[in-house]
Amino acid sequence: MLSKYIFRFFIYSIVGWIWETFYNIATQKKWQNRGFLYGPLCPIYGVGGVSITLVINAFIRIKGAPPTWYQMFAISFVGSAILEYSTSYVMEKLFHAIWWDYSNMPFNINGRICLPASTLFGLAGVGILYGPYVWMNNLIAVIPPLAVEIIGYIAVAMVVCDVTLTVSMLTDFDNMIKMVYDNFNEYMDTAVNDMEERRELRTARNERRIEIEKERIRQYIEESKEKRISQKASSVAENIDGVKKSALRRIERFVPAKNAETAKQKFKSKIHDLIKNADNSNYSEK
């Protein structure tokens, strides 16, 4: 009895994988493995197909007839929404990855389910009711029970191996991502610290350069002062010589000619004494 449901799960999973793959090729123009597992299986379709089979069998067992199409549509619509949302949530929490996203679809809930997708699954439930459910019953009736058992065991072994490999790879990938993230944070901390040290070093160099420039400016000002003082002293000395010459010319102009030489000598001597006394006085003050 159990092997029949395992057989259905296996077939529905393969059909779901084929549907998802060709849908992706038609819409994205590229091939992509749309299943969670590495093998050609989409377990969520297997679970959905088996669940619909259980519902139909329950109706037949309780009411003696399968559900009507609108009953099947409502059950498939609600059931697929619950299954999709819970599966998406659990897989995202376990593996930190998203296998489908309906965020760009209308009437979606957190991108996990949406009205168009749930409507399609509802219609798929109706389709299974009137098609694959009957075909699967006929196929299982034709296949010998032992073959169904063997196929069931093989399917279980394949799914277990695939799930183990997939979970192992996803776990290792998650750890690798965490390691890369930690290494990146460590590298960024080191880089920031290095940049801070370089900034402090540049600041110290700039401060030292400013001090050197200030010292150069002070030296230039002192040298300029000394140069201006020297130039002023030379100018004063030249002015004194000019005053001496001017005084002598005035004396020559106003003294009578007959006594000019005598007066000139007297005044020259007098001026010489005055200038000498003035120079001695200035030297003493210094």
Side-chain angles (χ1 to χ4, degrees):
M1 182 69 176
L2 181 60
S3 59
K4 294 181 180 180
Y5 288 105
I6 295 175
F7 182 82
R8 292 174 186 271
F9 171 85
F10 188 68
I11 298 299
Y12 285 130
S13 297
I14 293 176
V15 173
W17 180 86
I18 294 173
W19 158 253
E20 288 283 347
T21 301
F22 278 95
Y23 177 80
N24 187 75
I25 292 174
T27 55
Q28 305 297 326
K29 307 301 181 183
K30 63 179 181 179
W31 184 89
Q32 182 181 4
N33 185 2
R34 297 289 297 169
F36 163 70
L37 304 176
Y38 283 99
L41 298 172
C42 277
I44 192 169
Y45 283 90
V47 173
V50 171
S51 299
I52 291 174
T53 301
L54 292 173
V55 169
I56 296 173
N57 291 340
F59 265 85
I60 293 174
R61 186 171 59 254
I62 296 173
K63 294 187 175 181
T68 60
W69 70 268
Y70 56 85
Q71 289 175 327
M72 193 73 258
F73 175 83
I75 294 172
S76 299
F77 181 93
V78 175
S80 65
I82 295 173
L83 180 62
E84 264 202 309
Y85 195 96
S86 59
T87 302
S88 174
Y89 180 84
V90 171
M91 291 175 68
E92 183 176 341
K93 293 301 180 182
L94 289 178
F95 305 111
H96 309 288
I98 298 174
W99 272 263
W100 63 83
D101 185 10
Y102 296 131
S103 298
N104 60 339
M105 300 293 288
F107 304 103
N108 73 85
I109 300 178
N110 299 327
R112 303 183 190 279
I113 59 174
C114 67
L115 181 61
S118 297
T119 301
L120 286 176
F121 284 122
L123 294 174
V126 176
I128 290 175
L129 172 64
Y130 295 106
Y133 173 78
V134 178
W135 304 337
M136 196 69 68
N137 287 340
N138 295 333
L139 179 62
I140 292 175
V142 172
I143 299 175
L146 181 59
V148 174
E149 291 283 344
I150 294 174
I151 293 173
Y153 288 133
I154 293 175
V156 170
M158 290 177 60
V159 171
V160 169
C161 291
D162 203 342
V163 169
T164 302
L165 178 61
T166 302
V167 172
S168 176
M169 293 297 294
L170 289 174
T171 303
D172 291 341
F173 179 76
D174 188 54
N175 293 334
M176 182 181 67
I177 293 296
K178 185 177 182 302
M179 181 181 66
V180 171
Y181 179 77
D182 293 339
N183 290 338
F184 176 77
N185 286 340
E186 184 179 353
Y187 170 78
M188 290 303 297
D189 290 340
T190 303
V192 170
N193 293 335
D194 185 56
M195 291 175 60
E196 184 66 21
E197 291 177 359
R198 291 183 180 180
R199 187 187 66 81
E200 293 177 356
L201 182 60
R202 285 197 299 270
T203 301
R205 288 177 178 174
N206 291 336
E207 291 176 353
R208 176 59 181 166
R209 190 178 295 111
I210 291 172
E211 291 296 327
I212 293 174
E213 291 298 326
K214 287 182 178 179
E215 184 62 26
R216 288 179 179 175
I217 292 172
R218 284 194 292 267
Q219 291 179 358
Y220 173 78
I221 292 173
E222 293 297 329
E223 292 175 356
S224 298
K225 284 182 179 178
E226 293 178 0
K227 186 176 180 180
R228 287 197 299 271
I229 292 171
S230 177
Q231 291 175 348
K232 191 68 175 178
S234 298
S235 177
V236 171
E238 292 176 358
N239 290 335
I240 290 174
D241 290 340
V243 170
K244 289 179 182 179
K245 293 178 181 179
S246 177
L248 290 174
R249 284 195 297 269
R250 288 173 183 271
I251 291 169
E252 291 175 353
R253 186 182 305 163
F254 292 105
V255 175
K258 60 180 181 178
N259 299 322
E261 289 297 327
T262 303
K264 183 187 295 186
Q265 293 297 328
K266 288 182 180 180
F267 275 99
K268 281 183 178 181
S269 177
K270 188 67 174 178
I271 291 171
H272 182 271
D273 292 339
L274 289 173
I275 292 173
K276 183 177 181 181
N277 291 334
D279 290 340
N280 291 335
S281 176
N282 290 335
Y283 180 78
S284 299
E285 290 178 0
K286 290 181 180 180

